[in-house]
Amino acid sequence: MDKVLKISILSQEESWINPFLKEWINSLSNNFQINFVHQEISLMSGDILFILSYWQKVSSKTLEKFSSSVVVHASDLPKGRGWSPVSWTVLEGHNQIPIVLFKATSQIDQGEIYLKDYIYLEGHELINEIRVKQAHKTIDLCNRFINEYPEILNHGNHQIGTPSYFPRRTPKDSELDINKSIKEQFNLLRIADNDNYPVFFDYLGKRYIIKIYKEN
């Protein structure tokens, strides 16, 4: 690769993935000009735009500023479009989670798929451990895309099958059922964000918050 690639990375300012992205950026060679931003308005034109853990739709006008714009999403698209696919998949009891890198288009989660891999869990990991695996696999897909760019653009695959959609999770989705066992609800405990979305239950007119940690 002769020329210096201009790469932009767009993520939500509040996203958990940002520390991992900063480490990744620091590890990249001087062959790349990196622009890491948290607002669409801050994006300049360039070669590649990575949209990673960004919660708004990116306009077609912005996408047109880049030779290629891609998203990483942890589901077997077109199944599992939408919000928080890892959390919903863990709740379904799966320990093998598909993750894809695909073309960003004006239609959310509908672009051609360039790369696919899997996140592998053992069933005991809590959210912080799950996020480490997700972040590493996300960055791995991005590195592979860079290494194979621009030839990889000729090898996209159209999404095949009937789409399904995950809804946006709300605080209500973290409610425990006091009539069910811990074992029955362990996956809900696993994906709980102790700081932002802890699990809870209501009893005798009071609300109780539960935070879960592994013993060191």
Side-chain angles (χ1 to χ4, degrees):
M1 191 179 296
D2 297 325
K3 76 166 190 172
V4 174
L5 275 182
K6 294 182 179 179
I7 297 175
S8 289
I9 302 165
L10 175 64
S11 72
Q12 200 72 24
E13 188 170 11
E14 305 87 358
S15 176
W16 60 269
I17 204 172
N18 289 333
F20 298 95
L21 296 181
K22 291 176 182 177
E23 289 183 10
W24 173 44
I25 291 167
N26 289 335
S27 73
L28 291 173
S29 72
N30 294 329
N31 292 330
F32 310 112
Q33 180 179 321
I34 307 297
N35 183 33
F36 181 31
V37 302
H38 304 301
Q39 293 182 324
E40 180 180 347
I41 196 173
S42 301
L43 287 168
M44 308 296 288
S45 60
D47 297 300
I48 301 172
L49 169 62
F50 290 107
I51 304 170
L52 307 173
S53 190
Y54 189 67
W55 306 335
Q56 286 85 39
K57 180 180 178 180
V58 178
S59 69
S60 297
K61 184 177 180 180
T62 295
L63 297 178
E64 290 169 359
K65 293 180 179 179
F66 296 87
S67 300
S68 182
S69 299
V70 294
V71 183
V72 176
H73 185 80
S75 78
D76 194 10
L77 293 176
K79 296 179 181 178
R81 292 174 179 170
W83 298 87
S84 305
V86 170
S87 293
W88 288 116
T89 304
V90 170
L91 278 175
E92 291 175 350
H94 301 294
N95 285 320
Q96 179 176 297
I97 302 173
I99 183 168
V100 296
L101 184 149
F102 65 97
K103 182 178 180 178
T105 69
S106 59
Q107 303 298 315
I108 295 177
D109 295 347
Q110 296 186 32
E112 289 183 334
I113 295 172
Y114 295 120
L115 294 168
K116 179 178 177 180
D117 208 329
Y118 293 89
I119 301 165
Y120 296 100
L121 305 176
E122 296 178 4
H124 59 77
E125 299 90 344
L126 301 184
I127 189 63
N128 288 340
E129 298 167 292
I130 295 171
R131 285 174 172 173
V132 168
K133 291 177 179 285
Q134 182 180 356
H136 288 171
K137 191 60 69 174
T138 295
I139 291 167
D140 179 59
L141 288 176
C142 293
N143 280 330
R144 287 168 58 187
F145 183 82
I146 292 171
N147 291 336
E148 298 177 32
Y149 182 85
E151 289 79 10
I152 192 172
L153 300 179
N154 299 319
H155 301 287
N157 295 308
H158 293 291
Q159 297 183 26
I160 299 174
T162 302
S164 63
Y165 295 86
F166 288 127
R168 186 168 189 168
R169 291 184 63 77
T170 68
K172 183 68 176 175
D173 291 309
S174 295
E175 183 176 9
L176 291 170
D177 186 338
I178 62 172
N179 296 308
K180 292 183 178 180
S181 68
I182 291 177
K183 183 177 181 180
E184 289 177 285
Q185 301 177 94
F186 181 58
N187 285 332
L188 179 56
L189 289 163
R190 288 174 65 200
I191 64 168
D193 184 322
N194 288 333
D195 297 320
N196 299 308
Y197 303 103
V199 291
F200 68 92
F201 64 90
D202 294 332
Y203 184 62
L204 298 178
K206 303 293 182 181
R207 176 157 293 184
Y208 299 87
I209 304 295
I210 295 179
K211 297 189 176 185
I212 182 170
Y213 304 90
K214 271 186 180 176
E215 183 179 26
N216 293 327

